[in-house]
Amino acid sequence: MHYYRYSNAEVSCWYKYLLFSYNIVFWLAGVAFLAAGLWAWSEKGVLSDLTKVTGLHGLDPVLLVLLVGIVMFTLGFAGCVGALRENICLLKFFCGAIVFIFLLELAVAVMAFLFQDWVRDRVKEFFENNIKSYRDDIDLQNIIDSLQRLNHCCGAQGPEDWDFNIYFNCNSESKSREKCGVPFSCCIPDPAQKVVNTQCGYDIRTKSKNQWDDHIFVKGCIHALEAWLPRNIYIVAGVFIAISLLQIFGIFLARSLISDIEAVKASNAF
C-alpha cells in the first residue's frame, strides 16, 4: 500500500514563526517584569516576610509589576510553545486569553465613559488610601511624589488630604516633624535651587490658605488628571488603538495557525 503526502498538507511556516516571534517578545518582557518585581521585593525584605504585603493598606506597585509579568510570561510561553509544537490546546488558550483581555479593556473603557462620577469616587478613594500608606512603602512613595511633581498637584482633592496620613495629620498627637505639612513633591520648585529641598513642605498648612499658593500646589491630583486627559486625548487614543491592533494581530495569527493545523490533520487523516 502506498501513502501519498499532499503537497499542501504542511503547516504554514509564515504563520508559525511569525506567531513565535510575536510571542517571544512578550515572553522575554514577562521574564524582565518578574525579575524586576522579585528584585524589588527582595530589597524590601518581602520575600523573607510575606506579611509585609498584607500589612500595607495602600497599593504595593511591585504587585502590579509581578501581575503584568506573570500574565505576559504565561501568554508568551503558551504562544511560543504552541506555535513551535503546533499544539492546538496551547494556541486556543493563548487566543482565548487575548480575546478576554481585549474585551476586558473595552468594557473598562466603556464603563469609565458611562459612569464617570462613580469612577471619580473610586479614584478618590484609591488615592486617599494610598496617601495613608505614603511612608510605609518606598515604591508607593516614589509614585505619589512623581504624580504630584509632574502634574503640579497635591493630594487627591487638595493639600488637606494629607491629613489622612498619620505623619502629616495636623490633629494627631504624633510628634512627627512633618506634622501639618505636605511632602516635598507638593512644593512649587524654585528654579534657582539645584538641590531639592525635601523640607520645603514642613508646617505649610499651619499658615493661612491664601499663603499656600506661594509655596505649594493647591490643585488636587484628581482635578489635574481630569484636565490632563482632554489635552492628551489623541495620545491616549493612539496608545489604546496600538495595543488593540497588536492584540487583534495576535488573535489573527493564532486563529490562522489553528485553522492550518486542523486542516493539515484532516488532510493527513485520509
Side-chain angles (χ1 to χ4, degrees):
M1 182 180 291
H2 297 283
Y3 293 93
Y4 295 96
R5 184 177 177 84
Y6 289 85
S7 59
N8 63 341
E10 292 182 0
V11 176
S12 171
C13 290
W14 174 256
Y15 290 136
K16 182 176 180 177
Y17 291 108
L18 193 57
L19 183 61
F20 173 78
S21 302
Y22 175 91
N23 279 283
I24 195 66
V25 175
F26 286 95
W27 183 76
L28 291 175
V31 171
F33 274 103
L34 284 174
L38 292 174
W39 172 80
W41 262 6
S42 67
E43 288 292 304
K44 294 192 289 187
V46 174
L47 294 181
S48 58
D49 184 9
L50 291 177
T51 59
K52 291 183 178 180
V53 178
T54 57
L56 182 65
H57 298 294
L59 170 71
D60 185 351
V62 179
L63 279 175
L64 286 180
V65 174
L66 287 172
L67 179 61
V68 171
I70 290 171
V71 172
M72 294 183 72
F73 179 88
T74 304
L75 291 181
F77 179 81
C80 287
V81 176
L84 287 180
R85 302 296 299 172
E86 300 174 10
N87 187 303
I88 292 180
C89 289
L90 285 176
L91 290 173
K92 285 185 176 180
F93 167 76
F94 168 78
C95 189
I98 294 293
V99 170
F100 173 76
I101 293 172
F102 176 76
L103 293 177
L104 185 63
E105 291 169 350
L106 194 61
V108 169
V110 172
M111 294 290 286
F113 178 77
L114 294 178
F115 303 99
Q116 295 182 25
D117 291 336
W118 182 86
V119 171
R120 189 182 294 109
D121 291 339
R122 298 290 76 74
V123 171
K124 178 178 177 291
E125 182 181 338
F126 175 78
F127 203 101
E128 289 173 354
N129 287 335
N130 284 288
I131 285 177
K132 294 178 184 177
S133 305
Y134 175 77
R135 287 297 187 206
D136 299 337
D137 185 88
I138 187 64
D139 295 316
L140 177 62
Q141 180 177 311
N142 289 334
I143 286 180
I144 292 177
D145 283 335
S146 298
L147 179 65
Q148 293 189 143
R149 190 167 55 248
L150 292 174
N151 291 282
H152 295 174
C153 60
C154 188
Q157 302 281 10
E160 295 95 335
D161 288 336
W162 282 100
D163 273 334
F164 289 113
N165 187 281
I166 189 172
Y167 298 101
F168 296 95
N169 191 304
C170 290
N171 299 319
S172 71
E173 296 180 358
S174 171
K175 296 182 179 179
S176 169
R177 183 62 189 86
E178 296 174 310
K179 183 177 179 179
C180 219
V182 292
F184 74 93
S185 53
C186 286
C187 297
I188 298 174
D190 185 353
Q193 287 185 338
K194 294 184 180 180
V195 178
V196 176
N197 179 12
T198 57
Q199 300 180 2
C200 60
Y202 285 7
D203 303 319
I204 189 66
R205 289 190 293 125
T206 60
K207 301 177 181 179
S208 60
K209 289 187 177 182
N210 56 7
Q211 293 180 293
W212 291 4
D213 289 348
D214 299 328
H215 303 282
I216 62 172
F217 304 119
V218 294
K219 181 190 294 183
C221 289
I222 293 178
H223 300 303
L225 290 174
E226 288 175 345
W228 176 88
L229 187 58
R231 296 197 306 267
N232 298 272
I233 189 65
Y234 294 112
I235 296 176
V236 174
V239 171
F240 180 78
I241 291 172
I243 293 174
S244 300
L245 289 176
L246 281 173
Q247 291 171 329
I248 292 172
F249 181 61
I251 295 169
F252 167 76
L253 288 177
R255 290 303 308 167
S256 299
L257 185 56
I258 291 171
S259 299
D260 232 20
I261 294 171
E262 290 175 341
V264 168
K265 286 184 176 182
S267 298
N268 291 332
F270 293 101

